Amino acid sequence: KVDRLTRSLSDFARIVETLDRQGASFVSVTQQFNTTSSMGRLTLNVLLSFAQFEREVTSERIRDKIAASKAKGMWMGGMAPLGYDLQDTKLVVNQTEAETVRDIFRRYVELGSVNTLVDDLKRQHIRTKVWTPRHGQKRGGGYFDRLILYRLLKNELYIGRIAFKGKSYEGQHQGIVPSDLWQQVQGRLAGNRNDRVKTKASPYQAVLTGLVYDDRGNRMSPAFARKANGQRYNYYVSQPLLTGQRDQAGTVGRVPANDLDQLVEAQVTALLKQAVGAMRPDSSRHWRHAVQRVSIHSDRVIIAISQSRTKKSSALKKIVVPVHLRRRGKASYIAPTEDKPARPKPNKALIKAVARAHHWRGLLESGEYESIIELTKVLDQEPHYARSILQLAFLSPTMTERILKGMQSSLITLTILTKKPVSLTW
């Protein structure tokens, strides 16, 4: 019958359109209607409407049945979690696995980090639950990763409850984790969770991922932080800092990723141009493939590159770039010793402040406003802020030009320039 073919009006409409394009028609041998006539199509649509209604009602009843069973604390099928076995569709405690689960909860309270706990479980060779489905092929038995471990620590099943669509019900199975231990873990998880600002994905890609190391040989991985306004700051962070082992980190544990990427790109591209002469316009895009290792020290950056396509160790060449590592908050700020940026890098905030300063200076000199106080009242700004910005209008022409072109020293920032009076010795 037609409802055996489909129980969706939209699906059947697409089927009929396909048949019509091919010059074919649909015939139901056991049901007397002709789909080539308007009455036959009406009859068919009525039958399919009832078929679709029956399907939707059946789905609602199944969902209601599952919700009612969950509310009673029943286990509704699927693979038994670690710590339990299935007997007659019910969860029964597996004492050996239950002790493993409790130990995982206790270790998380001690370590306070899911990432650290993942490494700890690997060292102890603790694996996920092994189970055998109906087809007989074993599943599971792998190492815990961050996602699996996080789900285990958040699973209310281990305190004897069943969670369903945001609600929690008393389960018919026995809990294996004490409630006080559970509350400690949830408190730690909530404290470690960072509130993320919903912003558009940053186009930045950490091109040196897997190649950056600190002066102790620890790999530095990409990381980022966001301010309340959504501004994203990218870093390379030493692994010991990420895992809470600060004593094993090098002298420099965190560096701005954008600064390091630009510094390495400029140095490697220049060396490759010297080695092969005039490069094709697109050759500079492949500088990343020549880089083998980047080591960060307190006074220098060492770049190991390969000028050979074989990338053998004998073909490696090292570039030593002297730098100053200055502090900016929790991160180290990379500044080449020659005090020149690796490439033009316009500072939008600084350029905007310089433009505003010249605009305000023009308003005052033209006599439109008699004083800074009058100007700040109209602009709804604080007088001390206006004075600090106005002095940027008296920077030297050379400095102003470098700022507009993005060629200013990496040490020149809006905070630095407005912190003290601008020198007029130029």
Side-chain angles (χ1 to χ4, degrees), residues 104-130:
I104 291 175
F105 275 77
R106 286 192 289 264
R107 289 294 294 161
Y108 176 73
V109 173
E110 295 174 5
L111 300 175
S113 168
V114 174
N115 291 327
T116 307
L117 183 55
V118 169
D119 297 334
D120 184 65
L121 296 179
K122 284 183 180 180
R123 286 193 296 267
Q124 298 184 47
H125 302 288
I126 297 177
R127 299 173 180 264
T128 59
K129 186 179 182 67
V130 179

Side-chain angles (χ1 to χ4, degrees), residues 49-111:
S49 295
F50 280 104
Q52 180 171 325
F53 173 72
E54 182 182 359
R55 174 177 62 85
E56 292 174 352
V57 169
T58 302
S59 299
E60 290 177 358
R61 287 174 178 172
I62 292 174
R63 288 193 294 269
D64 292 341
K65 171 63 177 175
I66 294 176
S69 299
K70 291 275 189 178
K72 294 179 181 179
M74 298 174 59
W75 175 254
M76 294 304 295
M79 184 190 74
L82 183 67
Y84 292 94
D85 292 327
L86 281 178
Q87 291 184 8
D88 299 329
T89 68
K90 294 184 178 181
L91 292 178
V92 179
V93 177
N94 182 318
Q95 295 299 336
T96 303
E97 294 182 358
E99 183 56 37
T100 300
V101 172
R102 285 189 289 268
D103 185 61
I104 291 175
F105 275 77
R106 286 192 289 264
R107 289 294 294 161
Y108 176 73
V109 173
E110 295 174 5
L111 300 175

